Amino acid sequence: MVKIRTRIHDKFSLEFKIWHMQENNRKADSRRIRKYRLESWIFVPATLDINALTYSREHFYSDITNYYRAITPVYTLEEMAYGDKCTVSETKVSFNPNAGSPFGYLSNAVYNLINYPTEENVSEYEYQIKMFCAIFKSALRERYNALKANGGAADFEGFRNDLFVILKNYALLCDCLKNNVKAALYNYCSFGEEFIINLSESYSYKIYEVSNSSKSVAEWLLELGRYKESRGYGVLKEGDDKKNANLLHRWGVLKKYIESDLFLSADKRKSGVLKEQVYYSIAAGLSMIFATAVAFTFQQKYGNFTMPLFVALVVSYMLKDRIKELVRSAFSSNRKIKYFDNKTLLGVKDTIIGYSREGFDIIPQSKVPQEIMEIRNRSFIVDAENRINNESILFYRNLIRLDQKKLEETSEYKIEGINEILMLNLSSFVKKMDNPQNVYKLCNAEKEFVNVSVKKIYYINFVLRISWDEGVFCQRYRVVMNRDGIVSMESLM
């Protein structure tokens, strides 16, 4: 099963987030190896001068960034607040052998760290902190989306209660650790606490904007701010730009630290090196056969140490190098489409759970499948200038092979699959764009001439096809750009 979400990440970058998940049926559950293939065709107007001469493969890979992360396990805010009751005080935490919720797993990790501070338990404790915070973030987002959809003062009050139960339970774990472990180990828990309080503030402000009981939400926001200060964490202050900037930087670092355990380790290397060397060896062999055949032929006809043989050897040597390069080029062109450029090994906790291969090329229209061309041509009249004969076509493909069983064995949680996050920077596309604003004269109804400012825009079309064991999914997006960056992005299918 595959889902995809796209958004404008910043002024020049797009983000494609793809969920590669295990199907919820018996047939899928029995299949250990999962394969997902992403193919992307990017149709760029010819006026932007993006072609094989101006936009190399290396240039493309410098513009695209791939991240892979495990899909966050799903728990509700209520399950995080009230699931797996554990006895926790400022000095002691109990062990729950039947733990099945994030707080239960985290409590067990804290108990083991305090009583058996081995390297393995330290690593597990840090992992459970990060997982708890990541799951909390996901649960907050889902609860907020539900509240935003239906509203209601009672729902907002329930949200507030669940939030403070989780914060105070977590605080008890932190206080217990403070009295029983080294400061360096306590800091891990402190980082997690600051992160979940920051998240609570962020989503509370979002709720304030959609609430029909904004006064009560404002009161709990003030309460949350006081609680945050009482726990020793910094809060934003009006007029204190330096402190606020430092806090924002710190929150960014905390976010990366907390989410690091969900991201898969990625060891990237060049793909198809052996095949490439075999192709190049064949090219060298063919050119040598030509040169040797010419030498033997002229030697038999004119004999040794003659001028015709000398000329033939010189010419054959010249042609030999050209033949070798032509054959290498032909093999290389075939390799681009059939094989991949890079291979990335994906791992969790030092366990390799699969790999990803990716390839890129600029291709002619004749190599685009008819199905994709039909999807591309479903366009509005404003796309007329971008008809396919006037476009450059960038083709990017990515193949993921995932060992589902190994992935599930890396955690107590049920990991349904992985997210593939592609970040594509389009700043290379703006170099040949015209000024973003043009001024035209217009005669209005009063017969006066006025200046009208009109935006100069360009359309870049993306067609994505994702295939996996159980199906195929296609989607088209149109990105509107000008020299100032991305204006908008819309789905057309």
Side-chain angles (χ1 to χ4, degrees):
M1 179 173 154
V2 170
K3 293 195 304 182
I4 183 169
R5 187 197 72 191
T6 59
R7 69 185 182 101
I8 298 173
H9 181 264
D10 58 43
K11 193 175 181 181
F12 292 101
S13 298
L14 302 174
E15 178 182 293
F16 299 87
K17 186 174 183 179
I18 305 166
W19 282 260
H20 301 297
M21 298 180 291
Q22 188 175 21
E23 296 280 0
N24 293 321
N25 58 57
R26 193 173 294 176
K27 179 181 177 182
D29 289 341
S30 65
R31 187 178 291 113
R32 171 171 176 167
I33 304 300
R34 318 283 301 167
K35 289 184 180 179
Y36 305 93
R37 185 180 184 92
L38 166 67
E39 296 169 293
S40 308
W41 292 265
I42 307 172
F43 300 87
V44 183
T47 53
L48 301 187
D49 197 29
I50 300 294
N51 53 59
L53 295 177
T54 62
Y55 194 69
S56 66
R57 180 176 289 101
E58 290 74 19
H59 200 157
F60 174 80
Y61 284 121
S62 71
D63 286 340
I64 193 169
T65 306
N66 305 63
Y67 299 103
Y68 302 92
R69 55 171 290 173
I71 293 176
T72 307
V74 178
Y75 288 86
T76 65
L77 216 56
E78 292 89 347
E79 288 173 332
M80 297 198 70
Y82 304 107
D84 286 347
K85 289 292 185 180
C86 299
T87 304
V88 182
S89 68
E90 292 186 5
T91 57
K92 188 176 180 181
V93 57
S94 66
F95 184 84
N96 183 357
N98 300 313
S101 76
F103 187 74
Y105 291 137
L106 178 58
S107 299
N108 286 348
V110 170
Y111 174 89
N112 287 330
L113 176 71
I114 293 173
N115 293 281
Y116 314 101
T118 63
E119 185 176 338
E120 182 181 353
N121 285 339
V122 169
S123 177
E124 180 65 15
Y125 152 72
E126 187 178 10
Y127 170 78
Q128 290 298 342
I129 287 173
K130 294 178 180 180
M131 287 298 292
F132 181 92
C133 294
I135 294 169
F136 178 71
K137 179 180 179 181
S138 178
L140 264 181
R141 183 179 62 247
E142 294 305 313
R143 183 70 169 269
Y144 164 73
N145 289 337
L147 292 177
K148 184 179 178 182
N150 55 42
D155 287 333
F156 292 123
E157 187 60 29
F159 178 93
R160 179 243 176 234
N161 292 338
D162 292 345
L163 209 58
F164 276 97
V165 167
I166 294 170
L167 293 179
K168 289 177 180 179
N169 284 342
Y170 192 99
L172 284 173
L173 286 178
C174 283
D175 293 340
C176 182
L177 281 165
K178 193 172 186 178
N179 300 321
N180 290 285
V181 299
K182 296 178 181 178
L185 296 178
Y186 165 76
N187 285 339
Y188 296 155
C189 194
S190 177
F191 294 156
E193 182 177 27
E194 185 175 2
F195 178 80
I196 64 174
I197 295 177
N198 290 341
L199 271 180
S200 300
E201 275 193 318
S202 174
Y203 276 95
S204 295
Y205 275 107
K206 289 181 180 181
I207 286 177
Y208 175 80
E209 294 173 357
V210 300
S211 172
N212 57 11
S213 181
S214 57
K215 185 177 179 180
S216 61
V217 178
E219 290 174 356
W220 103 46
L221 271 166
L222 292 174
E223 182 183 2
L224 195 56
R226 291 191 294 269
Y227 177 78
K228 186 176 184 179
E229 285 189 292
S230 72
R231 296 296 298 172
Y233 304 115
V235 296
L236 296 176
K237 300 287 186 182
E238 284 187 289
D240 196 341
D241 294 341
K242 183 177 179 180
K243 181 181 178 182
N244 292 343
N246 287 335
L247 277 177
L248 185 61
H249 173 74
R250 178 181 175 84
W251 295 346
V253 173
L254 279 174
K255 180 178 182 294
K256 292 178 181 178
Y257 169 75
I258 292 299
E259 294 182 350
S260 61
D261 261 26
L262 280 173
F263 282 95
L264 307 183
S265 60
D267 179 14
K268 183 174 285 191
R269 57 190 67 177
K270 191 173 181 181
S271 181
V273 175
L274 180 60
K275 292 185 180 71
E276 182 179 64
Q277 295 307 314
V278 170
Y279 284 154
Y280 290 169
S281 297
I282 293 172
L286 290 175
S287 65
M288 190 62 191
I289 289 171
F290 169 80
T292 305
V294 169
F296 284 172
T297 301
F298 275 78
Q299 189 176 32
Q300 285 182 342
K301 185 170 183 178
Y302 297 104
N304 296 326
F305 309 112
T306 61
M307 183 57 68
L309 176 61
F310 174 76
V311 172
L313 289 174
V314 172
V315 172
S316 68
Y317 182 81
M318 295 165 57
L319 293 177
K320 176 177 77 74
D321 278 354
R322 293 305 89 214
I323 290 172
K324 183 170 80 171
E325 289 305 314
L326 286 172
V327 175
R328 281 185 59 169
S329 177
F331 279 143
S332 181
S333 252
N334 180 63
R335 188 193 69 82
K336 292 176 200 171
I337 300 299
K338 190 174 180 181
Y339 300 106
F340 296 88
D341 301 319
N342 304 312
K343 179 178 180 179
T344 303
L345 298 179
L346 306 176
V348 180
K349 293 183 179 181
D350 300 324
T351 300
I352 300 300
I353 55 98
Y355 64 76
S356 165
R357 296 182 188 271
E358 58 181 346
F360 169 79
D361 196 21
I362 297 179
I363 62 175
Q365 178 186 340
S366 60
K367 291 192 177 180
V368 180
Q370 183 60 34
E371 172 198 4
I372 302 302
M373 293 304 307
E374 291 174 0
I375 294 173
R376 164 65 188 94
N377 286 333
R378 295 170 188 164
S379 55
F380 299 103
I381 190 64
V382 290
D383 279 330
E385 69 167 323
N386 288 343
R387 286 304 180 191
I388 204 66
N389 290 333
N390 294 323
E391 290 178 317
S392 297
I393 305 173
L394 282 58
F395 179 47
Y396 171 75
R397 59 206 183 280
N398 184 295
L399 175 67
I400 295 176
R401 183 182 183 277
L402 185 66
D403 190 323
Q404 185 70 31
K405 184 177 179 181
K406 283 188 176 181
L407 176 62
E408 292 174 354
E409 289 173 350
T410 60
S411 176
E412 303 93 337
Y413 295 99
K414 178 175 174 56
I415 306 297
E416 295 183 344
I418 65 172
N419 287 328
E420 178 183 6
I421 303 169
L422 299 177
M423 303 278 292
L424 180 60
N425 187 290
L426 301 178
S427 58
S428 301
F429 291 19
V430 306
K431 296 176 182 178
K432 301 293 179 70
M433 289 185 180
D434 293 336
N435 290 328
Q437 297 280 348
N438 292 316
V439 178
Y440 292 90
K441 291 287 186 183
L442 178 68
C443 182
N444 61 21
E446 288 75 29
K447 299 181 180 180
E448 297 174 337
F449 288 92
V450 294
N451 291 330
V452 177
S453 180
V454 181
K455 289 183 178 180
K456 175 66 175 178
I457 59 175
Y458 299 83
Y459 295 103
I460 299 173
N461 286 273
F462 291 73
V463 178
L464 275 60
R465 181 170 68 187
I466 306 172
S467 53
W468 64 102
D469 296 321
E470 288 82 24
V472 178
F473 170 79
C474 292
Q475 186 68 49
R476 178 189 168 196
Y477 301 95
R478 185 172 67 180
V479 177
V480 182
M481 288 191 71
N482 62 21
R483 203 160 73 182
D484 288 337
I486 300 170
V487 178
S488 65
M489 180 181 187
E490 60 181 330
S491 173
L492 297 179
M493 182 180 171

